[in-house]
Amino acid sequence: YPILLSMLDAVDFGDIKEPLDVLREGYTIVLLNIRGLKANDMMELKRVVGKLKKTIDAAGGDIAGFGEDWIVVTPSFAEVYRAPDMPD
């Protein structure tokens, strides 16, 4: 199977159905733009992140935020590289 990269937007909780579906298939890395969600409802943002984290933890994948408005979510075949803290 090819590895896919999907860029999606989340404005409310219902918008995570598609990212969850493609992540469960196991061949897609999702870049999720959360700018609209952050602007609308921070509690909803926490629900979305919690649901993504719970789902991806169960699948053995990884999740991380980057920049101000993006979350990257990977299936089990990939992980997010986290650079060691840079000295001041």
Side-chain angles (χ1 to χ4, degrees):
Y1 291 93
I3 297 169
L4 303 173
L5 179 64
S6 182
M7 295 178 69
L8 302 168
D9 294 316
V11 178
D12 61 41
F13 191 79
D15 292 336
I16 65 167
K17 182 183 180 340
E18 183 178 1
L20 290 174
D21 288 346
V22 298
L23 287 162
R24 286 182 183 120
E25 291 170 6
Y27 304 104
T28 303
I29 297 170
V30 174
L31 298 177
L32 188 63
N33 184 336
I34 58 168
R35 177 180 291 169
L37 193 55
K38 278 178 36 180
N40 290 340
D41 189 343
M42 289 302 287
M43 291 303 292
E44 194 84 341
L45 174 61
K46 289 180 181 184
R47 282 184 62 211
V48 165
V49 171
K51 178 66 174 177
L52 288 168
K53 185 165 176 32
K54 182 178 176 184
T55 301
I56 210 61
D57 283 350
D62 201 1
I63 183 171
F66 68 98
E68 292 288 318
D69 299 322
W70 291 92
I71 295 174
V72 60
V73 191
T74 69
S76 61
F77 70 82
E79 73 178 72
V80 177
Y81 173 76
R82 292 166 177 86
D85 290 339
M86 300 296 290
D88 292 334

Coordinates of all heavy atoms in Angstrom, one line a residue:
Y1 N 0.8 -1.2 0.0 CA 0.0 0.0 0.0 C 0.9 1.3 0.0 O 1.9 1.3 0.7 CB -0.9 0.0 1.2 CG -2.0 -1.0 1.2 CD1 -1.8 -2.3 1.8 CD2 -3.2 -0.8 0.6 CE1 -2.8 -3.2 1.8 CE2 -4.2 -1.7 0.6 CZ -4.0 -2.9 1.2 OH -5.0 -3.9 1.2
P2 N 0.4 2.3 -0.7 CA 1.2 3.6 -0.6 C 1.0 4.3 0.7 O -0.1 4.1 1.3 CB 0.6 4.4 -1.8 CG -0.8 3.9 -1.9 CD -0.7 2.4 -1.6
I3 N 2.0 5.0 1.1 CA 1.8 5.9 2.3 C 1.3 7.2 1.8 O 1.8 7.8 0.9 CB 3.2 6.1 3.0 CG1 3.7 4.7 3.5 CG2 3.1 7.0 4.1 CD1 5.1 4.8 3.9
L4 N 0.2 7.6 2.5 CA -0.5 8.9 2.1 C -0.3 9.9 3.2 O -0.1 9.6 4.3 CB -2.0 8.6 1.9 CG -2.3 7.6 0.9 CD1 -3.8 7.3 0.9 CD2 -1.9 8.0 -0.5
L5 N -0.3 11.2 2.7 CA -0.3 12.3 3.6 C -1.5 13.1 3.4 O -1.8 13.5 2.2 CB 1.0 13.2 3.4 CG 1.1 14.4 4.2 CD1 1.3 14.1 5.7 CD2 2.3 15.3 3.7
S6 N -2.3 13.3 4.4 CA -3.6 14.0 4.2 C -3.6 15.3 5.1 O -3.3 15.2 6.3 CB -4.7 13.1 4.7 OG -6.0 13.6 4.5
M7 N -3.9 16.4 4.4 CA -4.1 17.7 5.1 C -5.5 18.0 5.3 O -6.2 18.1 4.3 CB -3.3 18.8 4.4 CG -1.8 18.6 4.3 SD -1.0 19.8 3.4 CE -1.2 21.2 4.4
L8 N -6.0 18.1 6.5 CA -7.4 18.3 6.8 C -7.6 19.4 7.8 O -6.7 19.8 8.5 CB -8.0 17.0 7.4 CG -7.9 15.7 6.5 CD1 -8.2 14.5 7.3 CD2 -8.8 15.9 5.3
D9 N -8.8 20.0 7.8 CA -9.2 21.1 8.7 C -10.2 20.6 9.7 O -11.0 19.8 9.4 CB -9.8 22.2 7.9 CG -8.9 22.9 7.0 OD1 -7.7 23.2 7.4 OD2 -9.2 23.2 5.8
A10 N -10.0 21.1 11.0 CA -11.0 20.8 12.0 C -11.6 22.1 12.6 O -10.8 22.9 13.1 CB -10.3 20.0 13.2
V11 N -12.9 22.3 12.4 CA -13.6 23.4 13.0 C -14.5 23.1 14.1 O -14.7 23.8 15.0 CB -14.4 24.1 11.8 CG1 -15.2 25.3 12.4 CG2 -13.5 24.6 10.7
D12 N -14.9 21.8 14.2 CA -15.7 21.3 15.3 C -15.4 19.8 15.5 O -14.7 19.2 14.7 CB -17.2 21.6 15.1 CG -17.8 20.9 13.9 OD1 -17.5 19.8 13.6 OD2 -18.7 21.6 13.3
F13 N -16.0 19.2 16.5 CA -15.7 17.8 16.9 C -16.1 16.9 15.7 O -15.4 15.9 15.5 CB -16.5 17.5 18.1 CG -16.1 16.1 18.7 CD1 -14.9 16.0 19.5 CD2 -16.8 15.0 18.5 CE1 -14.5 14.8 20.0 CE2 -16.5 13.8 19.0 CZ -15.3 13.7 19.8
G14 N -17.1 17.2 15.0 CA -17.5 16.3 13.9 C -16.5 16.2 12.8 O -16.5 15.2 12.0
D15 N -15.6 17.2 12.7 CA -14.6 17.2 11.6 C -13.5 16.1 11.8 O -12.6 16.0 11.0 CB -13.9 18.6 11.5 CG -14.9 19.6 11.0 OD1 -15.9 19.2 10.3 OD2 -14.7 20.8 11.3
I16 N -13.5 15.5 13.0 CA -12.4 14.5 13.2 C -12.8 13.1 12.7 O -12.0 12.2 12.7 CB -11.9 14.4 14.6 CG1 -12.9 13.9 15.6 CG2 -11.3 15.7 15.0 CD1 -12.3 13.6 16.9
K17 N -14.0 12.9 12.2 CA -14.4 11.6 11.7 C -13.5 11.1 10.6 O -13.0 10.0 10.6 CB -15.8 11.6 11.2 CG -16.3 10.2 10.7 CD -17.7 10.2 10.2 CE -18.2 8.9 9.7 NZ -17.2 7.9 9.4
E18 N -13.2 12.0 9.6 CA -12.4 11.6 8.5 C -10.9 11.3 8.9 O -10.4 10.3 8.5 CB -12.4 12.7 7.4 CG -11.6 12.3 6.1 CD -11.6 13.3 5.0 OE1 -12.3 14.4 5.2 OE2 -11.0 13.1 4.0
P19 N -10.3 12.2 9.7 CA -9.0 11.8 10.1 C -8.9 10.5 10.9 O -8.0 9.7 10.7 CB -8.5 13.0 11.0 CG -9.4 14.1 10.6 CD -10.7 13.5 10.1
L20 N -9.9 10.3 11.8 CA -9.9 9.0 12.5 C -10.1 7.8 11.6 O -9.4 6.8 11.7 CB -11.0 9.0 13.6 CG -10.8 10.0 14.7 CD1 -12.1 10.0 15.6 CD2 -9.6 9.6 15.5
D21 N -11.0 7.9 10.6 CA -11.2 6.8 9.6 C -9.9 6.5 8.9 O -9.5 5.3 8.8 CB -12.3 7.2 8.7 CG -13.7 7.2 9.3 OD1 -13.8 6.7 10.4 OD2 -14.6 7.7 8.7
V22 N -9.2 7.5 8.3 CA -8.0 7.2 7.6 C -6.9 6.7 8.5 O -6.1 5.9 8.0 CB -7.5 8.4 6.7 CG1 -8.6 8.8 5.7 CG2 -7.2 9.6 7.5
L23 N -6.8 7.2 9.7 CA -5.8 6.7 10.6 C -6.0 5.2 11.0 O -5.0 4.5 11.1 CB -5.7 7.6 11.9 CG -5.1 8.9 11.7 CD1 -5.4 9.9 12.8 CD2 -3.6 8.8 11.5
R24 N -7.2 4.9 11.1 CA -7.6 3.5 11.5 C -7.2 2.5 10.3 O -6.9 1.4 10.6 CB -9.0 3.3 11.8 CG -9.4 3.9 13.2 CD -10.8 3.7 13.5 NE -11.1 4.3 14.8 CZ -12.0 5.3 15.0 NH1 -12.7 5.8 14.0 NH2 -12.2 5.8 16.2
E25 N -7.2 3.0 9.1 CA -6.8 2.2 8.0 C -5.3 1.9 8.0 O -4.9 0.9 7.5 CB -7.2 2.9 6.6 CG -8.6 3.0 6.4 CD -9.0 3.9 5.2 OE1 -8.1 4.4 4.5 OE2 -10.2 4.1 5.0
G26 N -4.5 2.8 8.6 CA -3.1 2.5 8.9 C -2.1 2.9 7.8 O -1.0 2.6 7.9
Y27 N -2.5 3.7 6.8 CA -1.6 4.0 5.7 C -1.5 5.5 5.5 O -0.8 5.9 4.5 CB -2.0 3.4 4.4 CG -2.2 1.9 4.5 CD1 -3.4 1.3 4.6 CD2 -1.0 1.1 4.6 CE1 -3.5 -0.1 4.7 CE2 -1.2 -0.3 4.7 CZ -2.4 -0.9 4.8 OH -2.5 -2.2 4.9
T28 N -2.1 6.3 6.4 CA -2.1 7.8 6.1 C -1.6 8.5 7.4 O -2.0 8.3 8.5 CB -3.6 8.2 5.9 OG1 -4.1 7.5 4.7 CG2 -3.6 9.7 5.6
I29 N -0.7 9.5 7.1 CA -0.3 10.4 8.1 C -1.2 11.7 7.9 O -1.4 12.1 6.8 CB 1.2 10.8 7.9 CG1 2.1 9.6 8.1 CG2 1.6 11.9 8.8 CD1 3.5 9.7 7.6
V30 N -1.7 12.2 9.0 CA -2.7 13.3 8.9 C -2.0 14.5 9.5 O -1.5 14.5 10.6 CB -3.9 12.9 9.7 CG1 -4.9 14.2 9.8 CG2 -4.7 11.8 9.1
L31 N -2.1 15.6 8.7 CA -1.8 16.9 9.2 C -3.1 17.6 9.4 O -3.8 17.8 8.4 CB -0.9 17.7 8.2 CG 0.5 17.1 7.9 CD1 1.2 17.9 6.8 CD2 1.3 17.0 9.1
L32 N -3.4 18.0 10.6 CA -4.7 18.5 11.0 C -4.6 20.0 11.3 O -3.9 20.3 12.3 CB -5.4 17.7 12.1 CG -6.8 18.1 12.5 CD1 -7.7 17.7 11.3 CD2 -7.2 17.3 13.7
N33 N -5.2 20.9 10.6 CA -5.2 22.3 10.9 C -6.3 22.6 11.9 O -7.5 22.3 11.6 CB -5.5 23.1 9.6 CG -5.4 24.6 9.8 OD1 -5.6 25.1 10.9 ND2 -5.2 25.3 8.7
I34 N -5.9 23.1 13.1 CA -6.9 23.3 14.1 C -7.2 24.8 14.4 O -7.8 25.1 15.4 CB -6.4 22.7 15.5 CG1 -5.0 23.2 15.8 CG2 -6.4 21.1 15.3 CD1 -4.6 22.8 17.2
R35 N -6.8 25.6 13.4 CA -6.9 27.1 13.6 C -8.4 27.4 13.8 O -8.7 28.2 14.8 CB -6.4 27.8 12.4 CG -6.7 29.4 12.5 CD -6.2 30.1 11.4 NE -4.7 30.1 11.4 CZ -3.9 30.4 10.4 NH1 -4.5 30.9 9.3 NH2 -2.6 30.4 10.5
G36 N -9.3 26.9 13.0 CA -10.7 27.2 13.2 C -11.3 26.7 14.5 O -12.1 27.4 15.1
L37 N -10.8 25.6 14.9 CA -11.3 25.0 16.2 C -10.8 25.8 17.4 O -11.6 26.1 18.3 CB -10.8 23.6 16.3 CG -11.4 22.7 17.4 CD1 -12.9 22.6 17.3 CD2 -10.8 21.3 17.2
K38 N -9.6 26.3 17.3 CA -9.0 27.1 18.4 C -9.8 28.4 18.5 O -10.0 28.9 19.6 CB -7.5 27.4 18.1 CG -6.6 26.4 18.6 CD -5.2 26.6 18.2 CE -4.8 28.1 18.4 NZ -3.3 28.3 18.1
A39 N -10.1 29.0 17.3 CA -10.8 30.3 17.3 C -12.3 30.1 17.8 O -12.8 31.1 18.4 CB -10.8 30.8 15.9
N40 N -12.9 29.0 17.6 CA -14.3 28.8 18.0 C -14.5 28.3 19.4 O -15.4 28.9 20.1 CB -15.0 27.8 17.0 CG -15.1 28.3 15.6 OD1 -15.1 29.5 15.4 ND2 -15.3 27.4 14.7
D41 N -13.8 27.4 19.9 CA -14.1 26.7 21.2 C -12.9 25.9 21.7 O -12.6 24.8 21.2 CB -15.3 25.8 21.0 CG -15.9 25.3 22.2 OD1 -15.2 25.3 23.3 OD2 -17.1 24.8 22.2
M42 N -12.3 26.4 22.7 CA -11.1 25.7 23.3 C -11.5 24.4 24.0 O -10.7 23.4 24.0 CB -10.4 26.6 24.3 CG -9.6 27.8 23.7 SD -8.4 27.2 22.4 CE -7.2 26.5 23.5
M43 N -12.7 24.3 24.5 CA -13.2 23.1 25.1 C -13.3 22.0 24.1 O -13.0 20.8 24.2 CB -14.5 23.2 25.9 CG -14.3 24.0 27.2 SD -13.1 23.4 28.3 CE -13.9 21.9 28.8
E44 N -13.9 22.4 22.9 CA -14.0 21.5 21.8 C -12.7 21.0 21.3 O -12.5 19.9 20.9 CB -14.8 22.2 20.7 CG -15.3 21.3 19.6 CD -16.6 20.6 20.0 OE1 -17.0 20.5 21.2 OE2 -17.3 20.1 19.1
L45 N -11.7 21.9 21.3 CA -10.3 21.6 20.9 C -9.8 20.5 21.8 O -9.2 19.5 21.3 CB -9.4 22.8 20.9 CG -7.9 22.6 20.6 CD1 -7.7 21.9 19.3 CD2 -7.2 23.8 20.8
K46 N -10.0 20.6 23.1 CA -9.5 19.6 24.1 C -10.2 18.3 23.8 O -9.5 17.2 23.9 CB -9.7 20.1 25.5 CG -8.8 21.2 25.9 CD -9.1 21.7 27.3 CE -8.2 22.9 27.6 NZ -8.3 23.3 29.0
R47 N -11.5 18.3 23.5 CA -12.2 17.1 23.2 C -11.6 16.4 22.0 O -11.4 15.2 21.9 CB -13.7 17.3 22.9 CG -14.5 17.5 24.2 CD -16.0 17.7 23.8 NE -16.5 16.5 23.2 CZ -17.5 16.5 22.3 NH1 -18.0 17.6 21.9 NH2 -17.9 15.4 21.7
V48 N -11.3 17.2 20.9 CA -10.8 16.7 19.7 C -9.4 16.0 19.9 O -9.1 14.9 19.5 CB -10.7 17.8 18.6 CG1 -9.8 17.4 17.4 CG2 -12.0 18.1 18.1
V49 N -8.5 16.8 20.6 CA -7.2 16.3 20.9 C -7.3 15.0 21.8 O -6.6 14.0 21.5 CB -6.3 17.3 21.6 CG1 -5.0 16.8 22.1 CG2 -6.0 18.5 20.6
G50 N -8.1 15.0 22.7 CA -8.3 13.8 23.6 C -8.7 12.6 22.8 O -8.2 11.5 23.0
K51 N -9.7 12.8 21.9 CA -10.2 11.7 21.1 C -9.1 11.2 20.1 O -8.9 9.9 19.9 CB -11.4 12.1 20.3 CG -12.0 11.1 19.4 CD -12.6 9.9 20.1 CE -13.3 8.9 19.2 NZ -13.8 7.8 19.8
L52 N -8.4 12.1 19.5 CA -7.3 11.7 18.6 C -6.2 10.9 19.4 O -5.8 9.9 18.9 CB -6.7 12.9 17.9 CG -7.5 13.6 16.8 CD1 -6.9 14.9 16.5 CD2 -7.6 12.7 15.6
K53 N -5.9 11.4 20.5 CA -4.8 10.8 21.3 C -5.2 9.4 21.8 O -4.5 8.5 21.7 CB -4.5 11.7 22.5 CG -3.3 11.1 23.4 CD -2.8 12.1 24.3 CE -1.7 11.6 25.2 NZ -0.8 10.6 24.7
K54 N -6.4 9.3 22.2 CA -6.9 8.0 22.7 C -6.9 7.0 21.5 O -6.5 5.8 21.7 CB -8.4 8.1 23.2 CG -9.0 6.8 23.8 CD -10.3 7.1 24.3 CE -11.0 5.8 24.8 NZ -12.4 6.0 25.2
T55 N -7.4 7.4 20.4 CA -7.5 6.5 19.2 C -6.1 6.1 18.7 O -5.8 4.9 18.5 CB -8.2 7.2 18.1 OG1 -9.6 7.5 18.5 CG2 -8.3 6.3 16.8
I56 N -5.2 7.1 18.6 CA -3.9 6.8 18.1 C -3.0 6.0 19.1 O -2.2 5.2 18.7 CB -3.2 8.1 17.6 CG1 -2.2 7.8 16.4 CG2 -2.5 8.8 18.7 CD1 -2.9 7.1 15.2
D57 N -3.2 6.3 20.4 CA -2.5 5.4 21.4 C -2.9 4.0 21.3 O -2.0 3.1 21.4 CB -2.8 6.0 22.8 CG -2.0 7.2 23.2 OD1 -1.1 7.6 22.4 OD2 -2.3 7.8 24.2
A58 N -4.2 3.7 21.1 CA -4.6 2.3 21.0 C -4.1 1.7 19.7 O -3.9 0.5 19.7 CB -6.2 2.3 20.9
A59 N -3.8 2.5 18.7 CA -3.3 1.9 17.4 C -1.8 1.9 17.3 O -1.3 1.4 16.4 CB -3.9 2.8 16.2
G60 N -1.2 2.4 18.4 CA 0.3 2.4 18.4 C 0.9 3.5 17.6 O 2.1 3.4 17.2
G61 N 0.2 4.6 17.3 CA 0.7 5.6 16.5 C 1.3 6.8 17.4 O 1.6 6.6 18.5
D62 N 1.4 8.0 16.8 CA 2.0 9.1 17.5 C 1.2 10.4 17.1 O 0.6 10.4 16.1 CB 3.4 9.2 17.0 CG 4.3 10.0 18.0 OD1 3.8 10.5 19.0 OD2 5.5 10.2 17.7
I63 N 1.3 11.3 18.0 CA 0.6 12.6 17.8 C 1.4 13.7 18.4 O 2.1 13.5 19.4 CB -0.8 12.6 18.5 CG1 -1.6 13.9 18.2 CG2 -0.8 12.3 19.9 CD1 -3.1 13.9 18.6
A64 N 1.5 14.8 17.7 CA 2.3 16.0 18.2 C 1.7 17.2 17.6 O 1.3 17.3 16.4 CB 3.7 15.8 17.9
G65 N 1.8 18.3 18.3 CA 1.5 19.6 17.8 C 2.7 20.3 17.2 O 3.8 20.0 17.6
F66 N 2.5 21.1 16.2 CA 3.6 21.9 15.6 C 3.1 23.2 15.1 O 2.0 23.3 14.6 CB 4.5 21.1 14.6 CG 3.8 20.8 13.3 CD1 4.0 21.6 12.2 CD2 2.9 19.7 13.2 CE1 3.3 21.4 11.0 CE2 2.3 19.5 12.0 CZ 2.5 20.3 10.9
G67 N 3.9 24.2 15.3 CA 3.4 25.5 14.9 C 2.3 25.9 15.9 O 2.1 25.3 16.9
E68 N 1.6 26.9 15.5 CA 0.4 27.4 16.4 C -0.8 26.6 16.1 O -1.7 26.5 16.9 CB 0.2 28.9 16.1 CG 1.3 29.7 16.6 CD 1.3 29.8 18.2 OE1 0.3 29.9 18.8 OE2 2.4 29.7 18.7
D69 N -1.0 26.1 14.8 CA -2.3 25.7 14.4 C -2.3 24.3 13.8 O -3.3 23.9 13.1 CB -2.8 26.7 13.3 CG -2.9 28.1 13.8 OD1 -3.4 28.2 14.9 OD2 -2.6 29.0 13.0
W70 N -1.3 23.5 14.0 CA -1.3 22.1 13.4 C -1.0 21.0 14.4 O -0.3 21.2 15.3 CB -0.2 22.1 12.3 CG -0.5 23.0 11.1 CD1 -0.2 24.3 10.9 CD2 -1.3 22.6 10.0 NE1 -0.6 24.7 9.8 CE2 -1.3 23.7 9.1 CE3 -1.9 21.4 9.6 CZ2 -2.0 23.7 7.9 CZ3 -2.5 21.4 8.4 CH2 -2.6 22.5 7.5
I71 N -1.6 19.9 14.1 CA -1.3 18.6 14.8 C -1.0 17.6 13.7 O -1.6 17.5 12.7 CB -2.6 18.1 15.6 CG1 -2.9 19.1 16.7 CG2 -2.3 16.7 16.1 CD1 -4.2 18.8 17.4
V72 N 0.1 16.8 14.0 CA 0.4 15.7 13.1 C 0.1 14.4 13.8 O 0.3 14.3 15.0 CB 1.9 15.7 12.6 CG1 2.8 15.7 13.8 CG2 2.2 14.6 11.6
V73 N -0.6 13.5 13.1 CA -1.0 12.2 13.7 C -0.6 11.1 12.8 O -0.9 11.2 11.6 CB -2.5 12.2 13.9 CG1 -2.9 11.0 14.8 CG2 -3.1 13.4 14.5
T74 N 0.2 10.1 13.3 CA 0.7 9.1 12.5 C 0.2 7.7 12.9 O -0.1 7.5 14.1 CB 2.2 9.0 12.5 OG1 2.6 8.6 13.8 CG2 2.9 10.4 12.2
P75 N 0.0 6.8 12.0 CA -0.3 5.4 12.3 C 1.0 4.7 12.9 O 2.0 5.4 13.0 CB -0.7 4.8 11.0 CG -0.2 5.7 9.9 CD 0.0 7.0 10.5
S76 N 0.9 3.5 13.2 CA 2.0 2.8 13.9 C 3.3 2.7 13.1 O 4.3 2.5 13.8 CB 1.5 1.4 14.3 OG 1.2 0.6 13.1
F77 N 3.3 2.8 11.8 CA 4.5 2.6 11.1 C 5.4 3.9 11.1 O 6.6 3.8 10.7 CB 4.3 2.3 9.6 CG 3.7 3.4 8.8 CD1 4.5 4.4 8.3 CD2 2.3 3.4 8.6 CE1 3.9 5.4 7.5 CE2 1.8 4.5 7.8 CZ 2.6 5.5 7.3
A78 N 4.9 5.0 11.7 CA 5.7 6.2 11.7 C 5.7 6.8 13.1 O 4.7 6.6 13.8 CB 5.2 7.2 10.7
E79 N 6.7 7.6 13.4 CA 6.6 8.4 14.7 C 7.1 9.8 14.4 O 7.8 10.0 13.4 CB 7.5 7.7 15.8 CG 9.0 7.8 15.6 CD 9.7 7.1 16.8 OE1 9.7 5.9 16.9 OE2 10.3 7.9 17.6
V80 N 6.7 10.7 15.3 CA 7.1 12.1 15.1 C 8.5 12.3 15.8 O 8.6 11.9 17.0 CB 6.1 13.0 15.8 CG1 6.5 14.5 15.7 CG2 4.7 12.8 15.1
Y81 N 9.4 12.8 15.0 CA 10.7 13.1 15.6 C 10.6 14.3 16.5 O 10.1 15.4 16.1 CB 11.8 13.4 14.5 CG 13.1 13.8 15.0 CD1 14.0 13.0 15.7 CD2 13.4 15.2 15.0 CE1 15.2 13.4 16.2 CE2 14.7 15.6 15.5 CZ 15.5 14.7 16.1 OH 16.7 15.2 16.6
R82 N 11.1 14.2 17.7 CA 11.2 15.4 18.6 C 12.6 15.7 18.9 O 13.3 14.9 19.6 CB 10.4 15.0 19.9 CG 8.9 14.9 19.6 CD 8.2 14.2 20.8 NE 6.8 14.1 20.6 CZ 6.1 13.1 20.0 NH1 6.8 12.2 19.4 NH2 4.8 13.1 19.9
A83 N 13.0 16.9 18.5 CA 14.4 17.3 18.7 C 14.7 17.5 20.2 O 13.8 17.9 20.9 CB 14.7 18.6 18.0
P84 N 15.9 17.1 20.7 CA 16.2 17.4 22.1 C 16.1 18.9 22.3 O 16.3 19.7 21.4 CB 17.6 16.9 22.3 CG 18.0 16.4 20.9 CD 17.0 16.5 20.0
D85 N 15.8 19.3 23.5 CA 15.7 20.7 23.9 C 17.0 21.4 23.5 O 18.1 20.9 23.9 CB 15.4 20.9 25.3 CG 13.9 20.5 25.7 OD1 13.1 20.5 24.7 OD2 13.7 20.3 26.8
M86 N 16.9 22.5 22.9 CA 18.1 23.3 22.6 C 18.5 24.1 23.8 O 17.7 24.7 24.5 CB 17.8 24.3 21.4 CG 17.4 23.6 20.1 SD 18.7 22.5 19.4 CE 19.8 23.7 18.9
P87 N 19.8 24.2 24.1 CA 20.3 25.1 25.2 C 20.0 26.5 24.9 O 19.9 27.0 23.8 CB 21.8 24.8 25.3 CG 22.2 24.3 24.0 CD 20.9 23.6 23.4
D88 N 19.7 27.3 26.0 CA 19.4 28.7 25.8 C 20.6 29.5 25.4 O 21.7 29.3 25.6 CB 18.9 29.3 27.1 CG 17.5 28.7 27.5 OD1 16.8 28.3 26.5 OD2 17.2 28.7 28.7

